[in-house]
Amino acid sequence: MASFIWKGQICDSQDRNTLRVRENHYLVCVEDRCMGVFPTLPEQYRALPLEDMGDRLIIPGMTDLHIHAPQFSFRGLGMDMELLDWLNTHTFPEESKYRDLDYARRAYSQFTAHLRRSETTRACVFATVHVPATTLLMELLEESGLVSYVGKVNMNRNGPLYLIEPSTIASVRETRRWLEDTAGRFARTKPILTPRFIPSCTDDLLYRLADLRAEFGVPVQSHLSENLGEIAWVRELVPTAQNYGDAYRKFGLLGGETPCIMAHCVYSDEAEMELLRDGGVFIAHSPESNMNIASGVAPVNRFLDLGIPTGLATDVAGGSHESLFRAMTHAIQASKLRWRLLDQSVPPLTFDTAFYLATRGGGAFFGDVGAFDPGFALDALVLDDGNLDHPQPLSVRERLERAAYLGDERNIYAKVVNGLRLF
Ligand code: GUN
Ligand code: FE
């Protein structure tokens, strides 16, 4: 961790509707904290090392609220199926390979290297059911300098015998062993409880996971209301629940004492959205995944109107790429089709709102993260868009918009996570 000053074209999100641009300003980092953005350098910081980024863009780091590390190996493959067939055909066979620690090391090293080079500074990650491979992934992410929550997945039903855990007792025992080993071990990498989704976990396992949640004080992540077939199945599996979200709530895994992320929420109705809002649940909006496996498009502006905390996610390998710039673009495009074809009551996303989701929106899961407000954790990227040539003059804002639409991680010139410079 270092204290430093960067000068450049500084852009961050002020609120859901407002991208803030401060040209030729100074960004001050002391230890891991942002001291603010200044037009002239305050006297007390004059002794800190200053790097002039020239005309480059300086933006906050981005948060990926939902990504599957073991699925990175088959990103961009097998996207012509819907969720349940896609899981059985592509996902479960691949995830079973992580029983082999050598395979896990190769695959997770590639995943971590890509994530380190990307716009992502913080992530909430699914691993697999395997404890040794999940712990290895945590070690690799810790070494990378990124900040993350990582989940050992729980699944003890409705999956192939070569992957699922043999019993509730075995699943709970392995989860406890993993939590005891990793809960206090890393500076940047923390465990998060990760029941795959309701169809993968028996009722008694879900109750026992809620007990572990309380005992270890860890957050929870899962999938919610992603696909119509899945939702119908959950209705059969938990007939007493008012809706899918209410099923998680009944088991003690939605709302409550520790934070919670639910991915997708494409089909959440008003009652389910109310449950999410009242529980302070974060929605991980995963637009590319929702298109690739034909799930649908979530009403993101409705989530925001209701005050449900919402961020962006790549959901690799439902999504094909780890880039949150691409996720921003997909979110805007999907929202326009939803508005045009389905529902004019929810307006499409603007660039400002997509940028908010990728930075401040998702960052809030990690605390004061995702903007250059004084006191926020200092996560930042420097973008060099010099290769995106243009004959006409462009404003800083236009340059940022284009850099996002043309998203290319090779244009990330520097990256700082929680005050630590990665490159
Ligand atoms: N629902 C349960 N498991 C998964 C998964 O791996 N990916 C997605 N997109 N949805 C899921
Ligand atoms: Fe997912």
Side-chain angles (χ1 to χ4, degrees), residues 65-68 124-126 151-155 192-201 206 209 219-226 230 234 244-245 247-248 253-254 259-265 276 281-286 313 315 365:
L65 275 185
H66 181 91
I67 181 168
H68 296 261
C124 298
V125 184
F126 277 54
K152 171 221 167 296
V153 170
N154 295 95
M155 40 195 306
I192 180 169
L193 279 177
T194 305
R196 177 167 220 121
F197 64 161
I198 295 264
S200 291
C201 301
L206 293 166
L209 292 178
V220 189
Q221 60 181 355
S222 196
H223 296 93
L224 177 61
S225 297
E226 175 179 7
E230 170 211 21
V234 171
Y244 192 163
Y248 284 115
L253 293 168
L254 188 145
C260 178
I261 305 172
M262 287 290 158
H264 309 302
C265 305
L276 295 169
V281 177
F282 278 72
I283 295 178
H285 175 51
S286 315
D315 192 29
F365 188 75

Side-chain angles (χ1 to χ4, degrees), residues 46-167:
R46 290 270 155 98
L48 298 182
L50 183 147
E51 188 170 347
D52 190 344
M53 297 299 178
D55 202 28
R56 296 186 185 102
L57 307 172
I58 302 172
I59 65 171
M62 297 187 165
T63 292
D64 190 339
L65 275 185
H66 181 91
I67 181 168
H68 296 261
Q71 298 175 16
F72 190 72
S73 54
F74 69 97
R75 66 197 184 284
L77 294 173
M79 286 168 167
D80 299 324
M81 291 178 181
E82 286 194 52
L83 175 66
L84 300 175
D85 289 334
W86 175 81
L87 287 173
N88 285 314
T89 308
H90 296 287
T91 309
F92 293 159
E94 179 61 24
E95 289 196 9
S96 74
K97 295 179 189 168
Y98 291 75
R99 177 190 313 267
D100 172 355
L101 209 53
D102 288 333
Y103 185 79
R105 184 177 299 281
R106 268 185 289 142
Y108 282 157
S109 297
Q110 292 171 3
F111 167 76
T112 306
H114 278 261
L115 206 62
R116 187 175 171 280
R117 273 300 311 170
S118 75
E119 301 90 3
T120 299
T121 48
R122 306 198 183 219
C124 298
V125 184
F126 277 54
T128 62
V129 294
H130 312 97
V131 170
T134 302
T135 304
L136 172 68
L137 173 61
M138 295 176 83
E139 289 164 359
L140 292 168
L141 282 167
E142 180 72 10
E143 271 168 43
S144 76
L146 299 166
V147 173
S148 62
Y149 284 101
V150 176
K152 171 221 167 296
V153 170
N154 295 95
M155 40 195 306
N156 71 341
R157 69 171 173 186
N158 292 321
L161 290 178
Y162 61 75
L163 179 62
I164 63 171
E165 300 167 294
S167 65

